[in-house]
Amino acid sequence: MQFAITTTAVSANPHLKPLVSFPRPSPQHRVRVHPPRHRPNTRASAMASSATQELTITRPDDWHLHLRDGDVMAAVLPHSARHFQRAIVMPNLKPPVTTTARAIAYRDEIMKALPPGSSFVPLMTLYLTDSTSPEEIKIARKSGVVFAVKLYPAGATTNSQDGVTDILGKCLPVLEEMVKQEMPLLVHGEVTDPHVDTFDREKVFIEKILAPLVQKLPQLKIVMEHITTMDAVNFVESCKEGHVAATVTPQHLLLNRNALFQGGLQPHNYCLPVLKRETHRQAIVSAVTSGSRQYFLGTDSAPHDKRMKECSCGCAGIYSAPVALSLYAKVFEEVGALDKLEAFTSFNGPDFYGLPRNTSKIVLRRSPWKVPATYAYGSGVIVPMSTGNTLEWLPSDQPEE
């Protein structure tokens, strides 16, 4: 990857309104940055000067996305389709997507809601329950539409009440069939025992559920979703590459648990798994920006009506789809690892899933843009992550061949 001087001016995104800025010094001379050691990429390039900087990368995918349905889906889908080529779509609707037939119908709804001319591809998932059958896994694989199965421990997060109560006791035949079908298991990694401290739920899940599961079925492909702790980092890196991986969200790279309470209770920073200590955030940043192939982009973008977040019992979830690429670039730039951004956003995910990498490109320009306070949908508004802030990197809206 090479940084080269340019003086071209770049206009701000016309769809978004400005707020606050985080100025950052730009390089004053030509430098060379080595590409990722595990996957050299001679085609990725960047241009920089005090006037502008551009970073061209393979078009990313989002390996953990909530699109909801109805009016909310119609409002949020264009934000993901604008920047991502594909997305693993979460199945925790009401009622949940538990069968291949329902996954196909949900996919049809998504395709109909896409903006004209969009090339976005939804990759569907099934919601695992105590009663899911091995036969349903066979049907899912044959469909060509379902790409993974999602494990929600019952009661762990939004719409998880129908989730699994005993993964090895009640789902072992299904998991064994998933090994045969090479169908990944996507894990919300938290226990729901009320006696376990909220901030320890991920660690205890690894010890009591995930480690025994990997030991029992070492060939099962597992994605530990939205990891939040150094315990998760240590576990993932102790496992065989290609069998256990992790998605990482922008909020868990940028925020620690102080962000929930600074200046009063901050409901729009509340998600599950909950934000953790700064030491955990630093461990995740270090892992993700190291160049390891076991981590890839998964926003966990989760839209909720503002009224459902700002109430006496607010929903968990952060809506990050419109700002995610800008925030990931910020994280990688701050640690001097922009050369490793493309592998994280665009290579590691499809490689793990056994899918081809995208061929189109996207350009991120250093052009400060202001995050809107809200995004409207049919009956209300949704507050995005970083509302009220100015972000440094602006992704292009259209793919570049």
Side-chain angles (χ1 to χ4, degrees):
M1 184 178 294
Q2 179 175 319
F3 291 86
I5 293 176
T6 180
T7 56
T8 307
V10 179
S11 60
N13 188 331
H15 303 291
L16 303 170
K17 298 180 180 178
L19 285 178
V20 210
S21 73
F22 298 111
R24 194 176 311 286
S26 300
Q28 299 301 315
H29 58 278
R30 183 183 298 269
V31 298
R32 183 172 295 277
V33 182
H34 295 291
R37 65 178 183 270
H38 64 277
R39 184 74 64 175
N41 177 29
T42 57
R43 299 180 64 186
S45 64
M47 297 189 303
S49 77
S50 58
T52 186
Q53 181 172 320
E54 292 186 358
L55 177 66
T56 300
I57 62 173
T58 301
R59 193 165 181 82
D61 303 303
D62 187 347
W63 299 97
H64 186 133
L65 177 65
H66 296 271
L67 288 175
R68 312 302 190 205
D69 51 11
D71 288 344
V72 173
M73 181 175 71
V76 303
L77 178 57
H79 296 152
S80 291
R82 185 176 298 147
H83 297 155
F84 299 98
Q85 181 64 51
R86 298 170 291 200
I88 286 282
V89 180
M90 293 296 106
N92 58 331
L93 302 181
K94 289 184 179 180
V97 180
T98 57
T99 67
T100 304
R102 178 66 186 102
I104 292 171
Y106 184 27
R107 184 183 187 276
D108 289 343
E109 294 168 20
I110 295 169
M111 297 302 292
K112 290 176 183 176
L114 280 171
S118 173
S119 60
F120 179 81
V121 179
L123 309 176
M124 309 312 293
T125 60
L126 296 186
Y127 184 114
L128 185 64
T129 71
D130 289 347
S131 59
T132 301
S133 69
E135 186 61 28
E136 189 63 52
I137 303 303
K138 295 178 184 177
I139 295 170
R141 173 54 78 194
K142 290 177 182 177
S143 73
V145 165
V146 176
F147 289 84
V149 175
K150 182 62 183 274
L151 166 62
Y152 290 104
T157 188
T158 304
N159 297 342
S160 64
Q161 61 273 14
D162 298 308
V164 172
T165 60
D166 183 356
I167 183 69
L168 287 175
K170 297 187 177 180
C171 299
L172 187 57
V174 171
L175 299 175
E176 291 172 337
E177 187 61 40
M178 289 172 62
V179 172
K180 295 176 185 177
Q181 300 297 332
E182 297 184 340
M183 180 76 75
L185 178 70
L186 314 183
V187 175
H188 182 110
E190 293 187 286
V191 296
T192 56
D193 183 343
H195 298 101
V196 175
D197 188 285
T198 296
F199 294 99
D200 294 331
R201 286 168 57 168
E202 183 171 278
K203 178 182 178 181
V204 174
F205 181 90
I206 293 169
E207 295 169 351
K208 292 191 173 181
I209 298 174
L210 194 53
L213 175 60
V214 171
Q215 186 173 15
K216 180 77 173 177
L217 294 172
Q219 297 306 308
L220 178 64
K221 291 175 77 74
I222 296 174
V223 179
M224 192 172 183
E225 303 274 46
H226 42 51
I227 62 169
T228 67
T229 62
M230 66 176 66
D231 306 278
V233 168
N234 292 337
F235 178 77
V236 168
E237 295 183 358
S238 73
C239 296
K240 184 178 179 182
E241 183 180 303
H243 288 279
V244 177
T247 58
V248 185
T249 73
Q251 60 263 30
H252 292 114
L253 288 169
L254 284 163
L255 305 177
N256 62 39
R257 63 188 188 180
N258 289 345
L260 289 166
F261 310 109
Q262 288 171 335
L265 193 62
Q266 301 297 323
H268 298 289
N269 289 337
Y270 173 53
C271 60
L272 290 174
V274 71
L275 300 172
K276 302 298 195 300
R277 289 180 180 272
E278 175 63 10
T279 50
H280 293 295
R281 187 194 71 82
Q282 290 177 3
I284 296 170
V285 170
S286 178
V288 164
T289 59
S290 69
S292 169
R293 299 177 64 190
Q294 289 181 276
Y295 305 98
F296 40 89
L297 185 158
T299 64
D300 192 19
S301 181
H304 290 286
D305 188 290
K306 181 180 180 182
R307 293 164 295 189
M308 299 301 292
K309 294 286 289 180
E310 299 176 1
C311 62
S312 60
C313 187
C315 295
I318 295 176
Y319 182 54
S320 62
V323 298
L325 274 186
S326 301
L327 295 176
Y328 285 123
K330 170 184 170 69
V331 170
F332 278 74
E333 182 183 32
E334 285 181 344
V335 298
L338 275 177
D339 59 301
K340 296 180 175 65
L341 177 65
E342 184 176 39
F344 173 76
T345 62
S346 311
F347 295 163
N348 298 345
D351 290 355
F352 181 86
Y353 276 82
L355 296 172
R357 297 175 180 180
N358 298 322
T359 56
S360 61
K361 305 290 181 180
I362 191 169
V363 177
L364 289 84
R365 295 182 173 88
R366 186 186 295 283
S367 177
W369 62 277
K370 299 175 183 180
V371 181
T374 59
Y375 290 96
Y377 75 100
S379 60
V381 296
I382 299 164
V383 177
M385 185 177 177
S386 294
T387 181
N389 292 337
T390 293
L391 303 181
E392 192 80 4
W393 289 95
L394 175 65
S396 58
D397 286 350
Q398 298 300 324
E400 304 198 5
E401 301 302 329

